[in-house]
Structures are given as structure tokens and as C-alpha cells.
Amino acid sequence: MNFAASLANGLKSENLRTFVYDKIQEQFDGDFNFLYYTEKTSPIGGPNSKSITFEEALFGNQNNFKVNNSNLDFDPLMQVALRGADEDLVAMNEVGEGIPVFYISPNQDLEENPIVPVFYASGEIGEWNIQNVPDNPVLVVSLNERLVKVSRGQNLKIALNDCIGESDPYFSDETDDYYFYDDYYCGSTSGGGGSGDTGGTGGNSGCDRDMNSNWDRIDRVRFITMKNLKDAEEWVHGAPEVYFIIFTGSSQSHLAQIRKSIPEVDRSKWKDCGIFSCNTEWVFPSNLEVFNWEKMAYSQIITIQWYERDPGDSETRQTEISYKDPITGITYTEKETVTISNNDEDLDMTFVEYCHDATGSDARVHTTGKIEFVLRVD
């Protein structure tokens, strides 16, 4: 709140407003935001200027601010984001002097309490119900959701994949490294999903996957309703960070669970809005390969659990899965343990059978009840 109040007051300066707008437009993680931690020593007049830094512009002279004795040891993931109606964000070419600054506490449950404080350059403090999208764009101070903090020395297997072991962190501080979440969840790679056995496909022939040796990939995905989208990610947090876990049935621990994230796109890509209403829209990941489904290496049925990522404390959950084998008719029940953020939004799970249609125009649309997707091999 100290930072939000100081930022609102500092926006009286045209140089600072220009600096904030330019940093937001860089979209370092694909969203309209930037981190205070990585930009606080940047001069607000530009890289070739000897002007004061962003930190000095906000806190250099405490007599100029209503908030005194500020604690400048902010969370490295604290960000400044531009939020509002999607079309307004794209059309903006500057941050106006009167733009309000919202503060979203990481400890606040916005479903139970949607009222957040709002700071103005005049020094006034108001409140806002975040269930209502403001008529004009606003700045929001909150925690970034697209970076994952990993303590140095921590076993990287906590991610249940090797992806971050092959990636460089976006930045580091004294104790932790911070990775983009699509690196953490193998969002843009085909790693983590290779076959463990090479004994051939086996079983019945004639299924789409028997006729095609390509990897299964996510062809498209969407929220079923606008309420599903809103429940997963409010407008104040920008675009949803969607990922999934596949329980493959493999006997090899490193292949039993495969995590992947949907590459980031603007929030507007998840919906199609007309004059009077909005409908959800398909998002098409670019060649998001998942794994090579060999029946001898995996099972006849896989389970896909979907989540929307929100930062929080690491939590271990146990899920019980029951399904009937399509070949034998025998019902199996197993328990799966996953490690996720305690704030992640559960988008439910569904089953995919090996012989479900997976090619051409007949490719099956799978649904969890909240999100639907197409898994293809062609």
C-alpha cells in the first residue's frame, strides 16, 4: 500500500508517467506490466539520461509524500500493471495524470471480499469493487503471476519436469531465481513427454493413434462460459495463466505426470466481444506437443487435470481417479499426488481414451465442465 500511494502521487510528474507507460508497453512477460524490483534503478528520463531513478522519483524525498518511513524492501514479484477493458489498453498511447492506482493484496480473497483500495494523485483514497470493470484504464499494484520463484539449491524436480533445468532465470535476487512460468511448466517445449518404452503400439489397430506416429498436441482450448473465464481470472489480473497435468499411467516416475502450460496470449484472445455481449473464444497454441502416446509405455486412458495458475505457497494435493478400462471393462482407482500453488484455480479434469478421434474434422472436443480442448495427432 505504501508503494501504491507513492506511485499515485508520483504520477503528477510527466517524466514518471512516460516511464511507467513505456515499461508497461515492453510487456516483458507478454502482459501489460513490469516489475518494480528489476526497474527501480532505471533512470526515468531514459537510459542515456542522468535523471533520477524510478526508486528515487518515488521515495527520494519523503517530505514530498504523504506516506513516510516507507519500507522499501518490497516483494521482488511486485508489479505495476495496466488494466481495464481490453480494447482500451491496446488503444492507449500514454498514462494520464489522473489515472488511479489500485492495490491488490496477495493475502486478500477477492471472491469473499472484492473491495480494494484505490489511490489518487490528489492524495485521496477510495475503494473499488473489482467485480466491476472501470470505464477507463487503471494501474494495479499486485504480485506477478507469470514468474515462479525457485530457491537456489532447491531440487528442481519440484516442478516435476526438467524444463527449468534447461532454462535461464529471468532474474535472481540474493536467495532465489525467478523463471517464466511457461519454462517452469514446459509451455513451449516438447521436453518431459518422451516415450519410456519402444515396444510398439500394440493392442487393437484402427484407432487414429495407431495410424499416426506423431506426438499428441493441444490443438485448441477455451473456457466454456464467460463466467468460467471470470472465475478463473478476474480482469484485474490480466490474461489467465492456464496449465494442465496429464496422468499418463506410465510406470516410470518421470513420465507418470506431464505438465504443460498454454503459451501466454492477451486476455482479449480468450473472448470475442460484440456491442452487447461477450463469448469465449478458442485459443490455438502453436504446436504445443504433449507426449507420444504409445500404449505399451502408457495406459489406454489418460487423465488431464487443468488449472489456472495464481502465485502462493507450494501445496501437495492428493487426487483419487477412477475409470473403466475400455478394453477389459475393469474399473481402476488410483491416487495421484501433485504439487501446485495453494491459490491455483481448479478447472477440473477429464479422461481421454487412446481410441478417441484425434485427427481431421472429427477430432474429439474434450471437456472438464469448465474448460474444453482438442487433443490431436495429425
Side-chain angles (χ1 to χ4, degrees), residues 124-177:
E124 296 180 7
I125 302 176
E127 293 182 337
W128 190 270
N129 186 329
I130 58 93
Q131 295 178 351
N132 302 318
V133 182
D135 293 333
N136 298 303
V138 300
L139 293 177
V140 176
V141 174
S142 61
L143 282 189
N144 182 277
E145 297 185 348
R146 296 193 172 180
L147 290 168
V148 180
K149 180 174 72 174
V150 177
S151 297
R152 280 198 291 280
Q154 182 182 37
N155 185 357
L156 298 186
K157 291 294 185 180
I158 191 172
L160 298 183
N161 59 56
D162 297 319
C163 295
I164 57 174
E166 301 172 357
S167 303
D168 295 324
Y170 173 65
F171 76 97
S172 301
D173 59 19
E174 291 78 6
T175 59
D176 304 302
D177 297 321

Side-chain angles (χ1 to χ4, degrees), residues 274-288:
I275 298 177
F276 300 107
S277 64
C278 293
N279 296 306
T280 58
E281 187 70 276
W282 288 107
V283 168
F284 294 84
S286 177
N287 196 32
L288 181 54

Side-chain angles (χ1 to χ4, degrees), residues 53-352:
T53 66
F54 185 34
E55 181 180 40
E56 292 169 340
L58 296 183
F59 304 107
N61 184 352
Q62 291 293 309
N63 294 326
N64 293 335
F65 299 93
K66 294 182 179 297
V67 180
N68 295 319
N69 301 318
S70 296
N71 179 4
L72 303 184
D73 188 21
F74 300 112
D75 191 308
L77 290 178
M78 185 182 72
Q79 69 177 14
V80 179
L82 187 64
R83 297 288 184 248
D86 299 316
E87 58 274 11
D88 292 338
L89 304 186
V90 175
M92 283 188 67
N93 55 22
E94 64 178 355
V95 170
E97 181 176 355
I99 190 169
V101 178
F102 288 37
Y103 171 65
I104 307 294
S105 168
N107 300 318
Q108 182 172 345
D109 187 334
L110 295 178
E111 292 186 5
E112 293 186 2
N113 177 21
I115 307 301
V116 300
V118 185
F119 298 88
Y120 300 91
S122 64
E124 296 180 7
I125 302 176
E127 293 182 337
W128 190 270
N129 186 329
I130 58 93
Q131 295 178 351
N132 302 318
V133 182
D135 293 333
N136 298 303
V138 300
L139 293 177
V140 176
V141 174
S142 61
L143 282 189
N144 182 277
E145 297 185 348
R146 296 193 172 180
L147 290 168
V148 180
K149 180 174 72 174
V150 177
S151 297
R152 280 198 291 280
Q154 182 182 37
N155 185 357
L156 298 186
K157 291 294 185 180
I158 191 172
L160 298 183
N161 59 56
D162 297 319
C163 295
I164 57 174
E166 301 172 357
S167 303
D168 295 324
Y170 173 65
F171 76 97
S172 301
D173 59 19
E174 291 78 6
T175 59
D176 304 302
D177 297 321
Y178 297 82
Y179 292 85
F180 289 115
Y181 97 106
D182 55 352
D183 288 335
Y184 187 85
Y185 291 137
C186 300
S188 302
T189 73
S190 56
S195 172
D197 299 317
T198 57
T201 57
N204 296 334
S205 62
C207 300
D208 286 345
R209 291 180 174 87
D210 288 317
M211 306 294 186
N212 197 316
S213 61
N214 290 334
W215 282 44
D216 271 83
R217 62 181 176 84
I218 297 295
D219 177 72
R220 58 188 186 272
V221 59
R222 71 175 175 184
F223 289 91
I224 296 177
T225 67
M226 285 300 298
K227 184 179 185 303
N228 295 144
L229 172 59
K230 180 176 179 293
D231 289 345
E233 191 79 311
E234 290 278 3
W235 64 272
V236 290
H237 297 305
E241 291 80 32
V242 177
Y243 74 96
F244 56 90
I245 302 175
I246 296 182
F247 305 106
T248 68
S250 172
S251 59
Q252 302 186 54
S253 59
H254 70 292
L255 298 177
Q257 294 183 19
I258 297 173
R259 295 190 179 209
K260 295 279 185 172
S261 67
I262 302 300
E264 299 98 337
V265 297
D266 292 342
R267 186 180 181 88
S268 61
K269 302 297 185 182
W270 289 95
K271 58 184 180 178
D272 181 19
C273 293
I275 298 177
F276 300 107
S277 64
C278 293
N279 296 306
T280 58
E281 187 70 276
W282 288 107
V283 168
F284 294 84
S286 177
N287 196 32
L288 181 54
E289 293 182 330
V290 180
F291 77 138
N292 194 336
W293 194 344
E294 296 183 0
K295 286 188 291 186
M296 297 301 293
Y298 302 104
S299 59
Q300 298 281 340
I301 298 179
I302 62 173
T303 306
I304 304 184
Q305 169 72 59
W306 290 80
Y307 294 99
E308 195 282 323
R309 183 185 179 276
D310 290 314
D313 296 328
S314 180
E315 176 181 273
T316 299
R317 296 183 187 178
Q318 191 172 69
T319 301
E320 186 171 277
I321 302 172
S322 295
Y323 58 89
K324 180 181 292 187
D325 188 288
I327 304 299
T328 65
I330 300 175
T331 298
Y332 295 91
T333 299
E334 60 184 49
K335 292 183 178 180
E336 294 283 353
T337 299
V338 297
T339 300
I340 61 175
S341 164
N342 63 331
N343 290 324
D344 285 354
E345 183 75 18
D346 189 341
L347 300 177
D348 293 341
M349 66 169 57
T350 191
F351 305 105
V352 179

